[in-house]
C-alpha cells in the first residue's frame, strides 16, 4: 500500500513541530497533550491506586504522585529498560508486569495474559486506568468494572478509536463511529459518562469519568 501524506498540512506541520519542542523541553513528562498533563497534576491524589497498560516515562511520572501503580508492558526489552529507570529513581511503588504480544493470525485477545492482568483486581478497586499499550479495546472493556465510582478512564490516542471532531490525523469521524466491534461496545458504555477530551493536533488524550 502506498504511503499517504494527506495529513501533512501546514497546520499539522506546525502542531507536530510544537509537539516535538514540548517533549524535548519536558523530558520527564508522559507523551500526553499539555492539557492532559495539567489536568492530571491537579487530579491525582497520593492515595490513588492505578493500572497502566503501556509502560514508559509515564510510569515514573504517575508513580511519584500516587500510592501504587500496576503497569503492564508487552515489549521485553522496554520492560527491562523501564525497570532500570524505576530502580535508578528508587521508585518502589510500581508492579511492572511483562506479558508479550500473542503470535498467530487469530489470537483470543480477550483471554491473553496481557489483558488478563485485570483479573487480579477486585471490582471497583482502582482510581484510574491508563490505556496506552496493545489490545486497547479489550483492556478497556476489562478495566471498566474495576474503576471506582467517580474514577477516571484515560485513553491515549483516543482519536484513532472513538469518534470525535478531532483534527489529528487518522481520527475517527462521527460518521465513521468506533473502530470495530469491541470499541463500539466500549463506546456504548462510556458515551454517557462525563468526559474531558484534549488534543494537540497530533494525537488526543481523553478522560472518561465513571458515574
Amino acid at each position: 500500500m502506498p504511503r499517504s501524506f494527506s495529513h501533512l498540512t501546514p497546520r499539522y506541520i506546525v502542531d507536530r513541530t510544537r509537539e516535538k519542542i514540548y517533549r524535548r523541553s519536558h523530558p520527564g513528562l508522559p507523551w500526553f497533550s499539555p492539557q492532559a498533563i495539567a489536568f492530571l497534576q491537579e487530579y491525582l491524589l497520593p492515595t490513588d491506586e492505578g493500572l497502566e497498560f503501556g509502560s514508559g516515562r509515564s510510569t515514573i511520572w504517575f508513580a511519584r504522585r500516587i500510592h501504587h501503580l500496576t503497569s503492564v508492558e508487552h515489549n521485553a526489552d522496554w520492560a527491562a529498560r523501564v525497570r532500570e529507570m524505576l530502580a535508578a529513581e528508587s521508585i518502589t511503588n510500581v508492579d511492572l508486569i511483562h506479558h508479550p504480544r500473542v503470535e498467530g493470525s487469530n489470537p483470543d485477545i480477550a483471554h491473553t495474559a496481557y489483558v488478563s492482568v485485570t483479573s487480579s483486581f477486585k471490582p471497583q478497586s482502582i482510581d484510574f486506568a491508563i490505556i496506552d499499550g496493545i489490545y486497547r479495546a479489550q483492556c478497556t472493556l476489562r478495566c471498566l468494572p474495576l474503576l471506582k465510582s467517580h474514577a477516571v478512564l484515560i485513553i491515549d490516542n483516543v482519536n484513532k478509536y472513538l469518534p470525535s471532531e478531532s483534527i489529528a490525523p487518522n481520527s475517527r469521524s462521527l460518521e465513521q463511529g468506533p473502530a470495530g466491534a469491541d470499541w463500539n461496545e466500549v463506546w456504548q458504555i462510556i458515551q454517557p459518562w462525563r468526559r474531558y477530551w484534549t488534543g494537540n493536533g497530533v494525537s488526543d488524550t481523553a478522560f472518561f469519568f465513571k458515574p
Side-chain angles (χ1 to χ4, degrees):
M1 180 181 295
R3 187 183 301 273
S4 173
F5 296 95
S6 61
H7 65 287
L8 294 179
T9 63
R11 179 171 184 170
Y12 172 80
I13 293 171
V14 170
D15 289 336
R16 181 63 170 160
T17 302
R18 185 183 294 118
E19 181 205 36
K20 287 185 175 182
I21 293 172
Y22 180 81
R23 288 183 175 179
R24 287 174 182 171
S25 60
H26 299 82
L29 295 182
W31 281 20
F32 296 161
S33 68
Q35 302 99 313
I37 294 169
F39 169 80
L40 286 165
Q41 287 173 330
E42 297 295 325
Y43 178 84
L44 296 173
L45 296 175
T47 55
D48 282 346
E49 300 277 343
L51 174 58
E52 174 187 52
F53 287 95
S55 305
R57 56 181 170 181
S58 61
T59 308
I60 296 170
W61 190 87
F62 277 93
R64 285 174 173 159
R65 289 162 172 79
I66 65 171
H67 179 254
H68 186 266
L69 180 68
T70 299
S71 185
V72 190
E73 174 58 40
H74 79 280
N75 184 293
D77 292 339
W78 185 239
R81 175 66 182 126
V82 175
R83 285 195 179 96
E84 291 174 358
M85 291 189 290
L86 291 169
E89 298 289 337
S90 299
I91 293 174
T92 60
N93 63 334
V94 175
D95 288 333
L96 180 56
I97 301 171
H98 167 245
H99 285 305
R101 185 189 299 271
V102 174
E103 302 298 330
S105 58
N106 236 341
D108 184 3
I109 293 175
H111 295 94
T112 59
Y114 185 96
V115 177
S116 295
V117 168
T118 54
S119 64
S120 62
F121 292 84
K122 295 180 180 179
Q124 300 186 37
S125 63
I126 60 175
D127 297 286
F128 65 86
I130 308 166
I131 308 299
D132 194 21
I134 61 172
Y135 307 148
R136 295 194 185 196
Q138 294 80 12
C139 290
T140 302
L141 282 171
R142 293 285 290 271
C143 281
L144 296 181
L146 309 181
L147 294 168
K148 299 176 182 178
S149 180
H150 307 302
V152 63
L153 170 70
I154 306 165
I155 306 178
D156 196 30
N157 308 117
V158 63
N159 52 294
K160 296 182 179 180
Y161 310 108
L162 296 178
S164 70
E165 296 180 344
S166 174
I167 63 171
N170 304 312
S171 295
R172 303 288 299 182
S173 68
L174 299 177
E175 292 74 22
Q176 287 175 313
D182 288 329
W183 277 116
N184 185 63
E185 185 176 352
V186 169
W187 190 231
Q188 294 308 309
I189 297 170
I190 70 174
Q191 188 175 9
W193 295 11
R194 185 167 61 91
R195 77 189 72 155
Y196 176 46
W197 192 295
T198 72
N200 57 15
V202 178
S203 65
D204 295 1
T205 304
F207 303 83
F208 298 88
F209 302 89
K210 187 175 182 178

